[in-house]
Amino acid sequence: MITKYTSGTPIRTDAVVKDFAGIDINKFPVDYKIIDGKFIFSFDMQDSDIVFGLGEAPRGINKRGWIYESFCSDDPFHTETKSSLYAAHNFLMLNGSKTFGIFIDFPAKIRWDIGYTKPSRTEITVDGTDFDIYIIENKSNKPIDIVKEFRSAIGQSYIPPFWAFGYQQSRWSYPDKAAVDGVIKGYNDAKIPLDCVYLDIDYMKDYKDFTVDEDKFPNFAEYVKEKKEQGIHLIPIIDAGVKKEAGYDVYEEGVENDYFCKTEDGEIFEGGVWPGIVGFPDFMQKEVRDWFGAKYDRLTDAGIDGFWNDMNEPAIFYSTKGLEKALNKVKSLEGENLDLSKFFNLKDTFLGLSNSPEDYSSIYHMIDGKPVCHDRVHNIYGANMTRAAGEHFAKKFGDGKILMFSRASYIGAHRSSGIWFGDNHSWWSHILLNLKMLPSANMCGFLYCGADLGGFNENATRDLVLRFLALGVFTPLMRNHSALGTKAQECYNFENPEDFRDIVTVRYRLIPYLYDTFKKASENNDMIFRPLAFDYPDDKMARECETQVMLGNECMICPVYEQNVSGRYVYLPEDMTFVKLSGENAETKPMEKGVHFIEVALNEVPLFIKKGKQIPLCKPAMRTSELNTEDLTYIG
Amino acid sequence: MITKYTSGTPIRTDAVVKDFAGIDINKFPVDYKIIDGKFIFSFDMQDSDIVFGLGEAPRGINKRGWIYESFCSDDPFHTETKSSLYAAHNFLMLNGSKTFGIFIDFPAKIRWDIGYTKPSRTEITVDGTDFDIYIIENKSNKPIDIVKEFRSAIGQSYIPPFWAFGYQQSRWSYPDKAAVDGVIKGYNDAKIPLDCVYLDIDYMKDYKDFTVDEDKFPNFAEYVKEKKEQGIHLIPIIDAGVKKEAGYDVYEEGVENDYFCKTEDGEIFEGGVWPGIVGFPDFMQKEVRDWFGAKYDRLTDAGIDGFWNDMNEPAIFYSTKGLEKALNKVKSLEGENLDLSKFFNLKDTFLGLSNSPEDYSSIYHMIDGKPVCHDRVHNIYGANMTRAAGEHFAKKFGDGKILMFSRASYIGAHRSSGIWFGDNHSWWSHILLNLKMLPSANMCGFLYCGADLGGFNENATRDLVLRFLALGVFTPLMRNHSALGTKAQECYNFENPEDFRDIVTVRYRLIPYLYDTFKKASENNDMIFRPLAFDYPDDKMARECETQVMLGNECMICPVYEQNVSGRYVYLPEDMTFVKLSGENAETKPMEKGVHFIEVALNEVPLFIKKGKQIPLCKPAMRTSELNTEDLTYIG
């Protein structure tokens, strides 16, 4: 049962697709207070209670013991003490002494103090008084039923094309044809399967959206076709900002039609991103979404059938005004004595130029004909960019034809796209962070998701990439991605690439099972990945497990996540079959409920299959298009 | 057996106290090459080999799979991908197919590629050709014997006063008398034992070394005496840089006597640190060390008997020249179009001002009457500051009277001081980082050591501080320290301080055991903390264990290091007694060799005692001075 409470006049987010009559917030069943225009309410927690939710967010599956903030943030340092990542997924569930879900449909900041200030209390602060809150309950008191109920209200999750379950290789950047061909050759030569190669920002002409640099990719359409004949999909990036440049038609159309975000004075807000100064399309307006969405035609017309939308929090390196102000500050110091406070002040000034609250506050959108400050809708900006594309694709191509995923997101965007978990690091700890986000994202409707395998920022070691990939074998998006200036991270660039082949081959053998599990989860508003607590509510060890998750109805996955170890500890909440997959081999061993240490080699993928269950494996292939999904063997 | 090889004319570091005849490097038993003035050699590793060493450094006990750099670094972000922390501890040991140690006595950069570029090879690059390399072998092939042999060559480790084993509370800052008294009252009222309160930079007058701000601490000597009567030691910080200020006698003496580091032109090098512009004493000169060391008298005369030396890598926020250059760069942009590359260039300019290679290269020391570029001796700068103090204390007070520990260090400094592991974070992962550095630091002679418990930077939660302290119970330095602007981290500031009392009380009950273990380790060139691999060389599970360490001859410690869990996995390499200590309670349970999950409450300290061994516990007290170390009970 879902009960909707309405406060004030909420800005429409379209997160919820079912109709609910909004009950006045005065009837809200929990005590609340309003302080300085913020709506604050709290509930107590018992020691054994778990708090699930918040989708793409830092820290654990159990969110207790920290303050989170719903605020889409372009911040690559995903350390433990961050409060936000790129998404704002305002769904939370208490499970234990009571079991209920909360969804706060509100596109500005929300602060979730989940037992941080007081360990036994969750306090939620909504930064405004215009919102809808949905309370989700279910007689069963089962967490999965709360999720299903919630998911049925927000609509069916995006299903990508079948080939999007293939292995994908990315890097910032493969800047030209030669680089892309090199990657494909590298994989082919090493006999490692591959379905997609990514085009990061350098494929564009001067970072202009919907352009292709003809010097780097002459006869682009032909090239795309040639790659597709090789079974390879090219996936270009699209950024939120549109380069300010005379003669660049997208920018000029945007100016002419008043499609860009404004300042308070009605000027176009000018921010600096990859192309230098850009205009930010005002995706809050349907007309702008339709216009921007149709621009993707330029690439789909060339045969492109997949995209990733980036920088749409939006990320703003600096604004023209912010930079001017900083430079004026420097000038004002001329002749003055340079002391410590002035030094820190200057350093902070330049550090604070990117994604500055001041800049965000100076951006205005038009909503229902009225200017609305960006602060009030920050968390749906990126989601609406992606929706622009997704709705256009659905209309033009029908469902499931175009691969689409986004960095920034809000619940609702799960209907038109997937997400990736942003610019992570080549840190061992990020294997577990990736694992932990999977069930949380699933709760919020995001099924097609995954992290940058091997880690995006900084240098990855061979063993890290192998262990990361062995988790990635199970994530719907299985993409290896790394940053400019980092050590080459393509599988074939490491010693003994046959170990990588063994891991990626397992993925291809599992695709029929994974795709089927994915589709069913989408159709039934179900999760692909569940916390163990969902399946074993009375098992204390299972309830607090943060290093293993359930996959589908059959499996439990448990990546190895430390360096220089031959395996890991696992907890089996019931008797299961331990399976090690490697290349075409599958080794199985029944194991008893309880605590074990399992040995897993670098070229092995560990998983557990529940007693009495089996999963199908197909024969490997170099491309998803070559998979025979009918010819299956079963293990378990 | 130790064999010394000498290349060129090494700069004297005084790391080694035993005399060894240096064999010419031409006879070095390993192939080497010299490229661009760098000395490079490598050795192969078998899969099962472990590489120990490097003391205070990032990542695991087993250093395989990363590149480390010996370069004392003021960098608070101790993430997995860093190469250096604040120390340069150039001792490494291969253990497995062969067992030998290497110590490279060289005060400039060394790069340790330990299976990063090629998983089966360690390649070491010494950034110069004037050095000594010691190869340490032992017929027993036991790692502990390699360590003892090495340690006997570098001299006996510093032993602090007995009271330095008490619990210590720090924060940046308790700026005045009232704040310090508040801390003592807080602990007294909560009945939590305490022996030391720290004075961070704000106790000084304008951050001037060896001054006390009389407004904040009127009648300082009397106050110190009063605190000592309460059983509390005040521990002031001393920074490396001396404020440039007319009339400040320490600075003026330094100028007059030519005691400060110079630029190439013979001017005093001017860097900005806490007090603004400072001169950096040239600690390479004995005369300067004697002068600076004697300055501590100003505080010991006032009754102070403990210090921490900070900022001595040296940390340099900016140099006068660097800042001028940055500001000129800004001015040169006047009127120019502000584009992306200019923005990043400016941002990087200001970010790069701190601890810049350019500044380090422009500093000159006088060694044997000749100017020597700082780059060549960077890693012994801080060590020589601490030596200045330590040698002065030893001469004036005898051994074991003054508590002294440092942020920067080099092997050799272990004879006159301890270390702390620098500005860590309130991250759960830093509990394990702390644990892992203990045996590594011990190998290099640093016995009195510990991390900032609860984490220095960012906000700590109650459960994190409790779990961190439960490890800190065993570290010789047990200090809770936190940064300006972070959540209060003193035990009494959290809910239910009785849980904290239970943990800290355990420390006091263990002090007789810990102090005895410490003293023996110092006297016998032994380690307090050992990797499990040292004790169980044939046990694969023990060899790769990175989350438990051996303590003394009796114990194995195993902190809980994750949030929202009721315990942790442990591996017992033999039958042991599981002990949970909490306040005055001790719960024991025999457990069998193998894999277990142990439950540990937030107010409990877990440890294992070897079969047939016992450890003593005394009665708790509020101060170390009140401990009765004769009245012991035994558990095990």
Side-chain angles (χ1 to χ4, degrees), chain A residues 393-616:
Chain A
F393 298 147
K395 204 167 64 189
K396 182 159 178 167
F397 302 102
D399 286 336
K401 298 299 178 199
I402 306 288
L403 171 60
M404 168 90 254
F405 59 94
S406 174
R407 197 168 72 180
S409 64
Y410 184 86
I411 289 172
H414 69 285
R415 296 191 299 269
S416 49
S417 84
I419 51 174
W420 92 101
F421 298 148
D423 299 344
N424 65 355
H425 273 68
S426 294
W427 292 342
W428 286 86
S429 57
H430 278 185
I431 296 178
L432 278 189
L433 183 62
N434 181 352
L435 182 83
K436 290 170 187 183
M437 275 198 268
L438 294 170
S440 305
N442 277 195
M443 288 176 210
C444 300
F446 292 94
L447 298 186
Y448 191 77
C449 58
D452 287 348
L453 301 171
F456 177 69
N457 292 289
E458 303 196 275
N459 295 323
T461 57
R462 180 181 186 272
D463 50 1
L464 174 68
V465 179
L466 281 164
R467 295 301 197 190
F468 228 133
L469 288 173
L471 166 61
V473 155
F474 299 105
T475 62
L477 169 64
M478 186 190 187
R479 184 177 77 141
N480 177 342
H481 184 39
S482 59
L484 192 71
T486 62
K487 187 175 169 177
Q489 206 165 289
E490 298 78 18
C491 298
Y492 57 83
N493 276 318
F494 291 100
E495 269 187 11
N496 303 109
E498 60 274 18
D499 287 348
F500 292 83
R501 184 196 312 147
D502 286 342
I503 300 288
V504 179
T505 296
V506 171
R507 165 65 167 215
Y508 279 72
R509 298 199 69 199
L510 281 167
I511 286 177
Y513 171 65
L514 294 173
Y515 185 70
D516 187 57
T517 304
F518 186 100
K519 266 187 74 177
K520 280 185 194 150
S522 171
E523 284 159 8
N524 302 323
N525 297 314
D526 207 344
M527 295 162 72
I528 302 165
F529 301 102
R530 294 179 309 283
L532 269 61
F534 277 38
D535 289 38
Y536 306 96
D538 303 318
D539 182 331
K540 191 181 165 193
M541 286 284 287
R543 282 182 68 76
E544 65 184 40
C545 184
E546 292 267 351
T547 63
Q548 308 161 207
V549 305
M550 306 307 297
L551 162 63
N553 294 319
E554 297 78 14
C555 301
M556 183 175 77
I557 60 171
C558 50
V560 177
Y561 53 88
E562 288 172 312
Q563 193 170 30
N564 297 323
V565 295
S566 57
R568 57 160 289 170
Y569 294 107
V570 287
Y571 173 70
L572 271 53
E574 60 177 310
D575 294 358
M576 291 185 180
T577 301
F578 178 40
V579 182
K580 288 202 272 195
L581 298 167
S582 181
E584 299 197 42
N585 299 325
E587 198 181 296
T588 62
K589 181 184 164 192
M591 285 177 75
E592 285 181 5
K593 173 179 159 68
V595 168
H596 301 270
F597 184 90
I598 53 167
E599 292 210 353
V600 184
L602 285 174
N603 69 336
E604 291 175 335
V605 177
L607 85 153
F608 286 88
I609 300 181
K610 284 185 178 182
K611 219 174 168 175
K613 301 279 186 181
Q614 287 196 316
I615 64 166

Side-chain angles (χ1 to χ4, degrees), chain A residues 59 62-66 68 79-82 115-120 207 272-277 317-318 320 323-324 326-327 330-331 333-335 338-340 342-344 346-347 350-351 353-354 425-430 432 436 457-464 487 495 540-541 544-548 561-567 569-571 595-597 599, chain B residues 59 62-66 68 79-82 115-120 207 272-277 317-318 320 323-324 326-327 330-331 333-335 338-340 342-344 346-347 350-351 353-354 425-430 432 436 457-464 487 495 540-541 544-548 561-567 569-571 595-597 599:
Chain A
R59 297 174 82 97
N62 184 352
K63 309 312 284 185
R64 286 187 74 155
W66 198 241
Y68 303 86
T79 56
E80 297 174 30
T81 30
K82 291 298 159 78
Y116 170 82
T117 301
K118 190 175 160 59
S120 62
Y207 311 119
V273 208
W274 299 121
I277 298 301
F317 295 151
Y318 64 96
T320 307
L323 189 51
E324 257 173 32
L327 294 175
V330 173
K331 279 181 220 155
L333 292 177
E334 211 167 341
L338 306 169
D339 69 4
L340 193 74
K342 277 174 204 128
F343 162 71
F344 277 119
L346 272 182
K347 191 167 172 175
F350 282 93
L351 274 178
L353 281 174
S354 296
H425 273 68
S426 294
W427 292 342
W428 286 86
S429 57
H430 278 185
L432 278 189
K436 290 170 187 183
N457 292 289
E458 303 196 275
N459 295 323
T461 57
R462 180 181 186 272
D463 50 1
L464 174 68
K487 187 175 169 177
E495 269 187 11
K540 191 181 165 193
M541 286 284 287
E544 65 184 40
C545 184
E546 292 267 351
T547 63
Q548 308 161 207
Y561 53 88
E562 288 172 312
Q563 193 170 30
N564 297 323
V565 295
S566 57
Y569 294 107
V570 287
Y571 173 70
V595 168
H596 301 270
F597 184 90
E599 292 210 353
Chain B
R59 298 174 82 100
N62 184 352
K63 309 312 285 185
R64 286 186 74 154
W66 198 239
Y68 303 85
T79 55
E80 297 174 30
T81 31
K82 290 299 160 79
Y116 169 83
T117 300
K118 189 173 160 60
S120 62
Y207 311 119
V273 208
W274 298 122
I277 297 302
F317 294 151
Y318 65 96
T320 307
L323 190 50
E324 257 174 32
L327 294 176
V330 173
K331 278 182 222 155
L333 292 177
E334 213 167 337
L338 307 168
D339 69 4
L340 194 72
K342 279 176 202 126
F343 162 72
F344 277 119
L346 271 183
K347 191 167 171 175
F350 282 93
L351 275 178
L353 281 174
S354 297
H425 273 68
S426 294
W427 292 343
W428 286 85
S429 57
H430 278 185
L432 278 189
K436 290 170 187 182
N457 292 289
E458 302 197 277
N459 295 322
T461 56
R462 180 180 185 273
D463 49 1
L464 174 68
K487 188 175 170 178
E495 268 186 13
K540 190 181 166 194
M541 286 285 286
E544 65 183 39
C545 184
E546 293 267 351
T547 63
Q548 308 162 207
Y561 53 86
E562 288 172 312
Q563 192 171 31
N564 296 322
V565 295
S566 57
Y569 294 106
V570 288
Y571 173 69
V595 168
H596 301 270
F597 184 91
E599 292 210 352

Side-chain angles (χ1 to χ4, degrees), chain A residues 323-387:
Chain A
L323 189 51
E324 257 173 32
K325 221 167 133 182
L327 294 175
N328 285 333
K329 187 180 245 176
V330 173
K331 279 181 220 155
S332 75
L333 292 177
E334 211 167 341
E336 280 201 53
N337 204 3
L338 306 169
D339 69 4
L340 193 74
S341 73
K342 277 174 204 128
F343 162 71
F344 277 119
N345 190 296
L346 272 182
K347 191 167 172 175
D348 290 347
T349 298
F350 282 93
L351 274 178
L353 281 174
S354 296
N355 306 320
S356 89
E358 211 175 319
D359 282 341
Y360 284 139
S361 296
S362 73
I363 300 174
Y364 282 79
H365 304 272
M366 289 300 281
I367 298 178
D368 299 332
K370 283 180 198 144
V372 171
C373 178
H374 179 76
D375 290 341
R376 294 189 60 202
V377 294
H378 175 78
N379 289 333
I380 50 173
Y381 183 78
N384 273 307
M385 174 196 181
T386 297
R387 180 185 177 186

Side-chain angles (χ1 to χ4, degrees), chain A residues 107-125:
Chain A
K109 276 187 186 170
I110 304 173
R111 185 176 183 271
W112 313 79
D113 178 342
I114 306 176
Y116 170 82
T117 301
K118 190 175 160 59
S120 62
R121 194 181 60 202
T122 288
E123 184 176 89
I124 298 169
T125 304

